[in-house]
Amino acid sequence: MNKPQMPPILVVDDNHDNAEIIRQYLEIHGYPITVAHSGDEAIALFETVRPAVVLLDVMMPGRDGWDVCRVMKQHPTLGRSVRVIMVTALDEWQDKREALQIGADDYVEKPFDLPTLAATIQRNLEVQRAVAS
Amino acid sequence: MIDSTLLTDSDQEAIDKAVGQLDGWRVERVSSAELGTAVSNANGVRAVLVGGDDPSILRDVVERAHLAGTPVIVSCADDTIRRRAVELRAEEWYRCPTEPEEIAQRIRAAVARGYPHAQAASDRVERVEYEQMLHDSLTGLPTLPVMIERSRALFKERGELVVLYLNFVRYSKIEEIYGWEKLDAVLETTAAAVREFLDDTAMSTSRLMVSFTNDDDFIFFHVPAAGVAGPTENEITEMVARLQRHVGSRIETQHGEDIAALFDIYVGRAHVYYNPKIRLERLIYRGIREAANASRSIEELERARRVADLRSSLRDRAVYVDYHPIVITETQEIFGYEALARGVMRSLRSPEVMFDVAAEADLVWELSRLCRSRAIEGMDTQLRDKQLLFLNVDPHDFSDPAFNENEVKYPERVVIEITERTAIKDYPKFRERLRIFRERGFRFAVDDAGSGYAGLGSIANLEPDFIKLDISLINAIDTNFIKQNLVETMVRFANDHGAMVIAEGVERAEEFKAVKDLGVHLVQGFFLHRPSHLPQPVLRTPSAVPG
């Protein structure tokens, strides 16, 4: 029996502990996880890892999450299908509109509980599958 | 294809299958005892896969691999081994047994991460960014510097080049109204149509190249074939006309009449002749500038024509009204109609274009008056009892002395739609006018609600009875959770303030379902109903010109 392919996820967070917790939790759910600790590392890995979902922390030193989102969404081959989930508090109406402008698909507020995170990833993967078919 | 080798001590069959999935990779096996030495000595080894059962061998292999700059993947039979792998900072690991696909993925990721210094990573980032600079990701067309490079040799050889500058004009409001995704989609369609045209054109014996300027203009370079005279002016004129028709009809097929009406393409041309005394880039850029200027002159000529068309339309009252149904989400009953005025003349078919032209010619009040009166005229025939008429009014119309609350017989059946976007200079005066209209029985709708950055506070100030969501929010709302969140917020806000939410631009079943689930009260869009209009007024025919 063929086990269905679990889609790869790229977790981008400069906080190593955070990233490790997320990685372990999602791996229990069966997703192949790659971690990047900076925006630059995330972009460098993007084409090799080809993630279905990118979990992107906004507050990072160096290249921030918004820039990474923009670069990934504008990628000629991968930009269309990848789902980018911003990890940030988007309380204000304006923040959400800006996130839309940059092309973000969803967001998750910090601090988040892991089940919420898993559910968010799941719903984005479902949409992605529906769009692909 | 250069061979990459995966060095391993594990005999898992899945590993061979995994390596089979990677291009140009092969497996080399050694015993666990020999693995450490093999890692230090081997050439062409791009990654090491170690079965981590023996902790001292694991440590030794990882250390040597890292010294050699080779990434390590650890196959973990249990959690203890996994923890060790992580502590030793192995690049990747996986729990075995597992599928070959998983292993292949790990190998790929490990190689990606196995860069010994940060410099290499930033090189990769630069490369990704440069590639995005050389080709526009949206249209797939090369940028101008690339195209100039490519045409350099040919231009020198053939001695002449025709530059065609496609000035792609869009009404500035398209992004505001429909969102950037819509504009991107139209640009893609245009690029595809242009490329299609190039493949078909009879001029394909000569070299024709096209580039995209990122500001949504296209540039063609046409170099005539060897031994063939350059194209005549007539030939170019004909080609340009065909291109315009082709692109126009593609946009209309793909995105509909309304969107197609918002775009125009004006083509300017310039002939560039090779001159060894002048730098090639300068020659070409001058040619581009000349062609661009020519296209803008054509644009201005067209604009002047439209102003003339508008003046005669105002004189002849040549405006008709489309009534767009607004429907109750739950029951699909028609709640009311939005009146959309259109010019009878083809050039003024789109209301956005018509008002744009009016703004230029300072005729907005006159046009608004005409549109309103036509919309109200149709009320008796088009609307049933109880159904409301939604009328678009520019906030500046409130300063028009000819606009007053007594224009309408049944104000309680009229909802005045004001766009949130338009700036209101004298706010207290404006609110006073609103109050007077309200007293007469008029209701108000805020259009494009939330499209600005003002948040919900400014909407509250207007105390609307209806809140219309901007179209870009509804477009593909079924696949974007941020949009869903925003609409949810707006519905809650409306319910708290005794207003109803209208979702405009619902074109697909999925969009309808999404807004219904979010509690949106009313919907408008092609999915539900196509607009209808009353018979058009007959235009006075101008005296015929013979020949």
Side-chain angles (χ1 to χ4, degrees):
Chain A
M1 190 198 78
N2 259 334
K3 198 170 81 170
Q5 184 84 343
M6 285 302 264
I9 299 181
L10 179 63
V11 175
V12 188
D13 196 330
D14 65 314
N15 182 321
H16 289 238
D17 293 330
N18 243 20
E20 188 54 30
I21 293 171
I22 297 173
R23 190 231 258 245
Q24 290 186 26
Y25 184 76
L26 292 176
E27 280 183 341
I28 292 171
H29 282 70
Y31 299 109
I33 306 292
T34 308
V35 172
H37 294 299
S38 72
D40 281 343
E41 205 187 330
I43 294 174
L45 289 173
F46 188 51
E47 285 172 344
T48 346
V49 174
R50 297 174 164 253
V53 171
V54 178
L55 205 61
L56 191 44
D57 188 14
V58 167
M59 289 297 177
M60 287 190 295
R63 192 188 287 263
D64 71 31
W66 297 114
D67 207 27
V68 176
C69 178
R70 191 184 50 79
V71 172
M72 287 183 176
K73 279 292 188 172
Q74 285 180 10
H75 191 277
T77 44
L78 305 173
R80 264 317 140 72
S81 48
V82 70
R83 302 284 297 184
V84 178
I85 303 176
M86 308 302 295
V87 177
T88 180
L90 285 179
D91 325 293
E92 301 297 325
W93 180 273
Q94 300 88 288
D95 297 335
K96 291 173 194 169
R97 295 245 39 152
E98 279 187 42
L100 281 178
Q101 271 299 108
I102 301 197
D105 299 291
D106 205 345
Y107 74 104
V108 140
E109 286 184 36
K110 261 188 188 168
F112 45 75
D113 59 277
L114 297 170
T116 305
L117 179 64
T120 307
I121 289 176
Q122 185 55 33
R123 73 179 181 180
N124 278 278
L125 286 171
E126 277 162 21
V127 161
Q128 193 182 57
R129 267 194 292 267
V131 167
S133 57
Chain B
M1 181 70 214
I2 299 177
D3 259 333
S4 301
T5 308
L6 178 76
L7 190 62
T8 186
D9 64 343
S10 165
D11 53 12
Q12 293 167 25
E13 212 187 285
I15 295 176
D16 297 80
K17 290 212 183 95
V19 169
Q21 290 176 14
L22 302 168
D23 256 334
W25 278 74
R26 51 178 276 275
V27 181
E28 191 180 307
R29 275 197 174 79
V30 297
S31 72
S32 301
E34 294 169 328
L35 189 59
T37 337
V39 165
S40 300
N41 296 333
N43 290 321
V45 170
R46 283 199 72 197
V48 175
L49 204 163
V50 50
D53 312 343
D54 185 325
S56 50
I57 290 183
L58 178 62
R59 174 182 297 277
D60 183 47
V61 168
V62 173
E63 275 173 7
R64 286 174 186 260
H66 283 171
L67 262 170
T70 310
V72 184
I73 305 119
V74 183
S75 164
C76 309
D78 61 45
D79 233 42
T80 318
I81 300 173
R82 186 193 61 78
R83 250 180 275 123
R84 261 185 233 131
V86 173
E87 273 160 19
L88 289 168
R89 300 196 153 279
E91 275 71 24
E92 289 291 328
W93 55 266
Y94 63 89
R95 285 296 301 271
C96 64
T98 188
E99 300 297 311
E101 286 78 17
E102 161 91 36
I103 301 179
Q105 176 60 14
R106 293 300 175 178
I107 296 172
R108 270 193 216 108
V111 170
R113 304 231 282 139
Y115 288 95
H117 357 269
Q119 181 59 38
S122 79
D123 283 349
R124 278 191 74 90
V125 171
E126 263 188 10
R127 188 185 60 73
V128 171
E129 289 183 320
Y130 283 144
E131 274 175 16
Q132 287 187 5
M133 280 184 223
L134 295 176
H135 277 75
D136 172 68
S137 60
L138 184 63
T139 58
L141 293 171
T143 55
L144 201 50
V146 170
M147 198 158 86
I148 291 180
E149 260 321 292
R150 286 185 190 164
S151 55
R152 179 189 291 273
L154 207 59
F155 177 38
K156 266 167 110 162
E157 191 191 310
R158 307 281 164 80
E160 74 177 283
L161 177 83
V162 175
V163 178
L164 292 177
Y165 192 94
L166 269 72
N167 179 8
F168 190 67
V169 172
R170 56 184 163 89
Y171 288 85
S172 52
K173 300 204 174 108
I174 177 97
E175 238 171 319
E176 278 182 48
I177 301 171
Y178 295 95
W180 60 267
E181 291 127 322
K182 198 49 129 187
L183 179 59
D184 275 2
V186 175
L187 285 172
E188 263 191 79
T189 307
T190 307
V194 164
R195 259 185 263 120
E196 213 175 68
F197 180 83
L198 285 188
D199 287 339
D200 278 349
T201 191
M203 279 165 133
S204 57
T205 47
S206 24
R207 276 285 282 278
L208 202 53
M209 283 174 275
V210 60
S211 142
F212 184 66
T213 68
N214 269 315
D215 181 34
D216 67 28
D217 290 332
F218 294 81
I219 299 176
F220 278 27
F221 281 2
H222 169 56
V223 182
V228 174
T232 62
E233 289 303 305
N234 283 342
E235 278 170 351
I236 298 181
T237 304
E238 213 245 57
M239 188 195 96
V240 162
R242 270 187 301 124
L243 173 66
Q244 280 168 315
R245 278 196 300 274
H246 182 80
V247 175
S249 92
R250 266 282 172 281
I251 297 181
E252 190 167 324
T253 313
Q254 205 57 32
H255 303 283
E257 244 180 75
D258 282 342
I259 300 258
L262 295 169
F263 293 90
D264 272 308
I265 304 179
Y266 301 116
V267 186
R269 78 188 79 153
H271 246 109
V272 187
Y273 296 99
Y274 180 68
N275 180 344
K277 292 202 198 119
I278 303 179
R279 268 178 70 198
L280 191 129
E281 283 86 353
R282 262 200 204 117
L283 281 170
I284 295 186
Y285 275 107
R286 276 183 203 159
I288 293 172
R289 230 197 347 261
E290 195 184 315
N293 283 340
S295 76
R296 284 189 235 290
S297 300
I298 298 175
E299 187 189 339
E300 279 168 27
L301 180 60
E302 197 39 50
R303 264 214 272 262
R305 279 207 192 103
R306 290 209 181 153
V307 171
D309 284 350
L310 180 67
R311 287 190 201 280
S312 80
S313 295
L314 285 172
R315 205 180 45 232
D316 298 337
R317 292 177 62 82
V319 154
Y320 70 98
V321 176
D322 262 348
Y323 291 87
H324 286 227
I326 296 176
V327 158
I328 299 176
T329 319
E330 281 301 317
T331 63
Q332 309 232 7
E333 263 179 78
I334 297 181
F335 180 81
Y337 291 87
E338 180 185 354
L340 231 69
R342 296 181 187 280
V344 174
M345 298 186 86
R346 244 204 97 76
S347 55
L348 300 172
R349 191 58 53 91
S350 155
E352 285 93 2
V353 171
M354 201 169 50
F355 274 91
D356 229 43
V357 174
E360 248 173 78
D362 215 15
L363 289 167
V364 177
W365 279 354
E366 281 90 332
L367 181 58
S368 300
R369 283 179 223 143
L370 175 58
C371 294
R372 275 198 307 273
S373 99
R374 280 267 185 250
I376 292 166
E377 267 166 37
M379 261 181 95
D380 292 331
T381 29
Q382 191 68 24
L383 270 60
R384 275 207 261 283
D385 224 31
K386 301 281 180 56
Q387 285 173 344
L388 303 183
L389 176 71
F390 284 73
L391 202 59
N392 285 291
V393 172
D394 187 289
H396 297 122
D397 286 342
F398 285 91
S399 316
D400 178 0
F403 177 48
N404 66 73
E405 62 280 11
N406 298 310
E407 272 178 26
V408 177
K409 227 174 8 169
Y410 310 109
E412 62 284 348
R413 288 183 57 202
V414 174
V415 179
I416 294 179
E417 280 192 31
I418 323 170
T419 325
E420 196 201 343
R421 276 184 275 117
T422 317
I424 298 167
K425 280 207 186 95
D426 190 348
Y427 202 67
K429 191 155 138 206
F430 179 65
R431 282 202 68 178
E432 180 55 26
R433 295 281 275 151
L434 288 190
R435 193 187 59 77
I436 294 172
F437 275 81
R438 277 220 165 85
E439 267 174 14
R440 288 274 292 144
F442 288 96
R443 272 173 279 187
F444 285 89
V446 173
D447 203 356
D448 286 337
S451 61
Y453 285 75
L456 304 184
S458 67
I459 303 177
N461 277 333
L462 294 168
E463 293 168 273
D465 304 278
F466 299 92
I467 296 175
K468 271 186 131 174
L469 299 167
D470 73 285
I471 295 183
S472 65
L473 261 188
I474 306 305
N475 180 35
I477 189 175
D478 49 312
T479 56
N480 187 302
F481 298 104
I482 301 184
K483 289 185 183 182
Q484 288 179 25
N485 183 283
L486 285 170
V487 171
E488 196 178 30
T489 306
M490 192 63 95
V491 170
R492 218 178 311 129
F493 174 86
N495 288 332
D496 289 344
H497 288 78
M500 284 201 264
V501 175
I502 307 177
E504 208 182 343
V506 176
E507 290 176 2
R508 294 160 44 235
E510 295 87 347
E511 287 165 357
F512 178 74
K513 178 168 190 306
V515 299
K516 185 167 181 212
D517 290 344
L518 291 166
V520 167
H521 314 82
L522 300 159
V523 278
Q524 194 181 339
F526 291 135
F527 177 66
L528 303 137
H529 277 274
R530 296 215 55 99
S532 64
H533 54 81
L534 300 177
Q536 298 173 26
V538 175
L539 255 185
R540 258 202 329 232
T541 48
S543 49
V545 177

